[in-house]
Amino acid sequence: MPALQRSEAAVRAQLLDVRSYSVDLDLTRGEDLFRSATVIRFGCAEPGQDSFVDVNPAALLRAELNGRPLDPAALDGNRLVLPGLAAENELLVEADMAYSRTCEGLHRFADPADGAVYVFASLGPDLAPQMFACFDQPDLKAPFTVTVTAPDDWTVIGNGTSARLPDGRWEIAPVGPVSTYLVTVVGGPLHAVRTEHDGIPLGLYARRSLAAELDREAEELFEVTRASFDRLHGLFDERYPFGTYDQAFVPEFNWGAMENPGCVVFRDELLFRSAPTEAQREMRAMVVCHEMAHMWFGDLVTMAWWDDLWLNESFAEMLGYRTAADSTRFTGAWTSFAVKRKGWGYDADRRGSTHPVAAVGMGSVAEALVNFDGISYAKGASALRQLVHWLGDKAFFAGLNAYFAEHRWGNADLADFLAALSAAGGRDVPAWAEAWLRTSGVDTLRLEVEAEGDVLASVALVNDGIRPHRVKVGVYDLADGAVVLRGRIDAEVAPGGRTPLPELAGAARPALLLPNDGDLTWALIRLDEHSAATVGSSLSRIEDGLARAVLWEHARDLVRSAELPAAGYLRLVADHLPAETAVTIVEAVLKFAAEHVVARYLDPADRPAALALVNGAARAVLARPDAGESLRIAALRAAVATAAGPERLAELAGWLDGRDLPGGVPFDTELRWAVLVQLAAAGEADEERIAAELAADPSNTGEQGAARARAALPDAAAKERAWQAMFTPDGLSNHLLVATADGFWRSGRPDLQQAYMRRYFEQMPAVGARGGAVVKALGHSLFPVGLALSGTVRAAEACLARTDLTPTVRRVLADELDDLRRAVAHRA
Ligand SMILES: [Zn+2]
């Protein structure tokens, strides 16, 4: 369907004023279709003008404008022209709509655990017309009343309070004016847990087969929810404006969560069927806080157009981490941000597809979709964290409160945000924004150190970049084998500038000088030689976890840009990972070491020894007597993922049969499926074994585990079955697609892999027609990253030279190709 152009949206916003939507859904009409009847009441500033409504039905049954029938055959793609508008209008559109299996529109899921059926709506950024007729752009907000006909045993919830009508239908009351992409409905035989906090009714929902998990997790979820509300109510003048606050955990969700006002939807993996690590719990707490921040940033005040996606995501991201760190037990959230999240953004910022945080000239909503990336989230949040540090909390939040007061229930853009902040603060915010939000790329900060023996002569902070930075420089000494903080020096440095740090002249030479200590800015760092040597010898002995996270991310940056050879990174892993105490660092480093450094940067011949090294590091953590359950879970998962060779695989097979299980870790379903996929890829488990495991775990995660393991089987027939399943439109749900793709390249004859690589680039262009979720699944999870050879680069380049790619296909393949070239550079 053609994406809405910005110019069209601007004209329509000038012309129309939407008063209200009434959406009536009938969800009792079979597995494929539901009935959607929408009445839109709206004003028109220039009566007599034409406009159009967005609707993308399986069949358009009826349309009436002000009582006049419109010809359903006039539907052009997803647009129906509305001719000759009156000053006040009533539009009725009735259609049969298709359920989605890729979480794009109204997603329908039949739970393999018990056969129960669930639906939920996921409408961002431009999928609302898959559920109801609407003016689908963020700046045409209106109150929605939704009624739903559903099976008798269902509970139906949505943005407003839901109630059962005397005729058996459910009615969801309107809440404020909201943008179309923020409307949701969740239905099914839901299990619920409810409470109240500070006058706000709170609800948690999940499918019936996860009732025990929801009951188990409810206390912690409510605890974080309460803490987040209290914190945000302390920071903001405006109270939470949407009445009830429901959080629904749904199956097969594409993202972590979605901030629908009053009804946040989360992927239900966050209820943890298998024992999670503390880092996973911390991440979930951050997501809870992130989505709640959206109630203000995005829902109460919405970006006028997708250019300002950062006004939603960067703020929610920054406040998500900050609220979790400041107000919940997950005080180390910023450590995870440094070691797990920022890399996503740094990588994005160094690719050809990078863009300013506040993008300019985004012509269509299709371009918006590809910008839900590491720039809009990780970099934008880092920029805002730097802004807070540069401006101070008081001025920052005074500005935000002015912004909310001015634009509540409406829309805003960058200029509105800067105006509010400028009025509140003493510094030149527009100049800051020009340097930080309107440019792309990442600066590098380094320290220029002159020493005479053990005494520093001079130290200066040098900024090779284009933005001002206010940072802390960490000064660390070696004492009794540990690297301990002597102090932190506040410093500001101008673009291209050099700031002397006179307090260090004449001081004893420290073991480590760390630019951007505390991770308060968005910049790469380069260490002086002496400090780099300390990191090599003593990284795990630095007492501060956040400093270690900054340095592990620094090492990741060095190896990605081939300034550090793969062997150098693996040496750090072998020397320092076994003693690491932060679970989040253990998870991030072992994953990157196995999936990037070993699987991409090394020649196949060098991989077994490298994999054994990573496996050894994981097992060393597992063997540590002081390792708690979380560390042991993280280490065991990595040990399973990197197991290779007869001895290790035999050990894995034993674990699956319950023999010699490593102590202190619940060996539950996630680990069992992880073991099985390893055995399948190695040819040590067959279809019969997979089927038996699935019979023992007939859940959707079991189905995903089986799909992954089946795709990992090395025989040619299994590969072809997996391939056909992935490239047959509507063949697999979004999550089964990702699982199958994830298994595919784990095994197979080299000549067959080459053949599939060529087929991949032949077939990807046509995948564009299957929608953004499928493109992202196959574009990211099935891209042949392990085949880092010049032939793969050429095939990818030839594909990208085609003129028939959708923007999403082009962007995903271009980004993966950039990563592939880095891998080829390592192997050259
Ligand atoms: Zn968000």
Side-chain angles (χ1 to χ4, degrees):
M1 66 180 185
L4 183 70
Q5 298 294 310
R6 179 185 198 152
S7 51
E8 299 170 317
V11 169
R12 197 162 62 173
Q14 285 292 317
L15 198 62
L16 306 187
D17 192 358
V18 188
R19 316 270 184 237
S20 70
Y21 285 88
S22 296
V23 178
D24 184 60
L25 303 173
D26 183 352
L27 307 182
T28 61
R29 306 178 73 89
E31 296 180 9
D32 301 321
L33 300 177
F34 61 98
R35 179 68 52 86
S36 163
T38 305
V39 177
I40 314 175
R41 295 188 177 82
F42 61 100
C44 173
E46 296 174 47
Q49 287 283 320
D50 299 350
S51 188
F52 63 93
V53 70
D54 307 299
V55 58
N56 193 16
L60 182 59
L61 305 174
R62 190 159 69 102
E64 279 181 26
L65 177 62
N66 300 325
R68 279 182 290 133
L70 302 175
D71 181 6
L75 181 69
D76 180 11
N78 58 333
R79 292 178 181 192
L80 184 64
V81 170
L82 306 176
L85 293 173
E88 291 297 327
N89 301 274
E90 183 175 290
L91 174 69
L92 169 96
V93 179
E94 196 173 335
D96 277 336
M97 302 277 191
Y99 288 111
S100 173
R101 291 196 71 206
T102 57
C103 188
E104 296 168 298
L106 190 60
H107 187 89
R108 183 180 187 278
F109 171 81
D111 192 341
D114 59 6
V117 170
Y118 300 86
V119 300
F120 63 88
S122 178
L123 305 185
D126 64 344
L127 298 166
Q130 316 266 26
M131 189 159 111
F132 49 82
C134 58
F135 303 111
D136 193 22
Q137 59 190 72
D139 58 348
L140 283 174
K141 296 169 119 178
F144 280 78
T145 304
V146 182
T147 46
V148 180
T149 304
D152 284 342
D153 62 340
W154 279 28
T155 299
V156 177
I157 60 171
N159 303 92
T161 311
S162 72
R164 198 139 205 188
L165 300 172
D167 65 7
R169 289 183 307 157
W170 290 83
E171 182 175 273
I172 300 161
V175 283
V178 299
S179 299
T180 45
Y181 78 95
L182 291 169
V183 173
T184 199
V185 163
V186 180
L190 296 165
H191 178 67
V193 184
R194 297 187 186 87
T195 187
E196 195 186 286
H197 176 66
D198 195 13
I200 303 167
L202 305 178
L204 299 172
Y205 296 84
R207 57 191 151 114
R208 208 163 47 191
S209 64
L210 291 177
E213 284 81 0
L214 186 69
D215 288 344
R216 186 193 66 212
E217 297 301 317
E219 189 180 329
E220 179 171 304
L221 286 165
F222 280 140
E223 193 178 301
V224 173
T225 302
R226 286 187 204 102
S228 184
F229 265 126
D230 290 349
R231 178 63 172 164
L232 295 182
H233 281 152
L235 293 171
F236 301 152
D237 297 341
E238 184 87 28
R239 258 183 74 84
Y240 170 68
F242 296 106
T244 56
Y245 194 72
D246 288 332
Q247 298 176 92
F249 292 80
V250 302
E252 299 191 317
F253 200 58
N254 278 342
W255 306 312
M258 177 68 200
E259 67 268 21
N260 313 296
C263 188
V264 177
V265 167
F266 296 79
R267 62 165 51 221
D268 66 17
E269 286 82 354
L270 292 174
L271 291 177
F272 307 133
R273 285 190 69 224
S274 298
T277 65
E278 273 295 285
Q280 286 176 284
R281 292 188 171 280
E282 175 193 85
M283 193 269 288
R284 181 178 69 183
M286 180 280 291
V287 174
V288 167
C289 297
H290 173 119
E291 303 308 327
M292 192 185 290
H294 270 309
M295 297 299 131
W296 287 260
F297 294 102
D299 296 1
L300 178 65
V301 182
T302 311
M303 77 234 141
W305 182 247
W306 298 100
D307 278 9
D308 281 316
L309 179 64
W310 74 283
L311 277 175
N312 282 11
E313 294 307 341
S314 307
F315 282 86
E317 178 96 342
M318 187 273 284
L319 277 170
Y321 280 98
R322 180 170 161 153
T323 307
D326 290 357
S327 310
T328 75
R329 72 182 162 91
F330 302 103
T331 53
W334 286 119
T335 303
S336 292
F337 184 70
V339 78
K340 279 186 178 156
R341 196 73 161 179
K342 283 183 88 176
W344 179 35
Y346 285 137
D347 294 353
D349 214 8
R350 303 181 85 190
R351 293 193 185 111
S353 61
T354 188
H355 55 88
V357 171
V360 274
M362 206 183 284
S364 77
V365 67
E367 292 170 48
L369 184 65
V370 300
N371 278 355
F372 283 85
D373 60 9
I375 302 292
S376 299
Y377 287 77
K379 183 180 181 182
S382 298
L384 289 174
R385 194 174 186 215
Q386 168 68 189
L387 177 62
V388 175
H389 186 58
W390 183 80
L391 205 56
D393 249 22
K394 198 164 167 248
F396 181 77
F397 286 102
L400 288 192
N401 280 318
Y403 171 80
F404 293 139
E406 175 79 18
H407 303 287
R408 60 199 297 273
W409 301 119
N411 297 80
D413 60 17
L414 174 63
D416 297 320
F417 169 71
L418 295 181
L421 226 53
S422 298
R427 304 193 73 163
D428 187 353
V429 177
W432 181 92
E434 200 56 38
W436 270 91
L437 304 177
R438 291 300 199 189
T439 60
S440 54
V442 56
D443 298 346
T444 301
L445 300 181
R446 60 192 169 87
L447 291 164
E448 231 172 54
V449 182
E450 300 286 338
E452 284 155 17
D454 290 339
V455 177
L456 290 171
S458 70
V459 178
L461 177 65
V462 178
N463 176 4
D464 294 329
I466 55 171
R467 307 177 184 91
H469 294 266
R470 180 175 180 192
V471 297
K472 290 180 188 293
V473 175
V475 184
Y476 291 85
D477 293 314
L478 262 173
D480 299 329
V483 183
V484 298
L485 183 69
R486 185 195 301 176
R488 293 193 172 100
I489 298 169
D490 285 300
E492 292 204 21
V493 63
R498 182 180 177 282
T499 302
L501 306 176
E503 43 284 73
L504 287 174
R509 178 164 206 164
L512 168 66
L513 284 165
L514 180 57
N516 195 25
D517 200 11
D519 203 24
L520 295 168
T521 198
W522 177 257
L524 304 177
I525 56 170
R526 291 294 176 267
L527 301 176
D528 66 275
E529 215 169 301
H530 186 76
S531 296
T534 301
V535 171
S537 65
S538 309
L539 173 54
S540 51
R541 289 188 282 278
I542 299 172
E543 286 186 336
D544 184 72
L546 180 52
R548 292 198 306 279
V550 168
L551 287 163
W552 275 111
E553 172 54 31
H554 169 56
R556 200 191 71 92
D557 162 42
L558 290 179
V559 71
R560 250 184 77 82
S561 52
E563 288 176 53
L564 177 71
Y569 186 90
L570 293 173
R571 180 48 48 206
L572 271 185
V573 172
D575 288 350
H576 296 296
L577 206 276
E580 180 54 56
T581 52
V583 180
T584 194
I585 293 177
V586 169
E587 288 178 348
V589 170
L590 289 176
K591 187 175 164 66
F592 177 72
E595 295 180 7
H596 287 253
V597 181
V598 176
R600 301 184 182 197
Y601 299 166
L602 293 178
D603 283 325
D606 297 329
R607 288 178 195 170
L611 211 52
L613 178 148
V614 180
N615 186 264
R619 297 170 70 90
V621 174
L622 197 58
R624 249 168 50 200
D626 69 319
E629 183 179 276
S630 282
L631 266 179
R632 299 174 68 80
I633 291 172
L636 183 56
R637 284 178 188 158
V640 169
T642 55
E647 194 189 334
R648 292 279 171 258
L649 290 171
E651 185 180 49
L652 255 53
W655 291 347
L656 209 52
D657 294 336
R659 289 196 312 272
D660 305 323
L661 286 168
V665 184
F667 199 80
D668 45 28
T669 52
E670 183 183 330
L671 278 164
R672 291 188 64 84
W673 282 111
V675 164
L676 196 55
V677 75
Q678 288 294 91
L679 294 176
E684 300 286 332
D686 57 9
E687 167 56 34
E688 203 180 330
R689 186 74 190 75
I690 297 169
E693 192 69 22
L694 183 58
D697 177 21
S699 65
N700 66 319
T701 44
E703 286 192 336
Q704 289 158 30
R708 186 177 292 107
R710 282 171 175 149
L713 290 169
D715 68 278
K719 290 290 179 224
E720 189 55 28
R721 269 197 304 279
W723 194 266
Q724 293 297 340
M726 289 187 287
F727 284 94
T728 301
D730 305 321
L732 297 174
S733 74
N734 50 341
H735 279 207
L736 283 174
L737 199 56
V738 170
T740 305
D742 184 39
F744 189 81
W745 296 111
R746 290 171 185 256
S747 69
R749 286 204 329 256
D751 61 321
L752 276 182
Q753 290 204 336
Q754 286 295 322
Y756 279 115
M757 180 275 285
R758 286 191 293 275
R759 279 171 75 178
Y760 177 79
F761 290 111
E762 283 159 20
Q763 290 184 256
M764 272 308 285
V767 170
R770 292 168 64 185
V774 174
V775 171
K776 287 187 173 183
L778 293 181
H780 290 306
S781 302
L782 195 64
F783 193 94
V785 284
L787 305 180
L789 301 162
S790 54
T792 313
V793 172
R794 280 197 302 277
E797 286 170 344
C799 182
L800 279 161
R802 291 175 55 151
T803 53
D804 59 346
L805 305 182
T806 65
T808 317
V809 171
R810 181 170 300 286
R811 170 70 178 271
V812 169
L813 293 185
D815 287 355
E816 291 290 344
L817 173 59
D818 180 84
D819 287 5
L820 184 73
R821 286 201 180 103
R822 289 173 188 277
V824 172
H826 264 281
R827 291 171 64 178

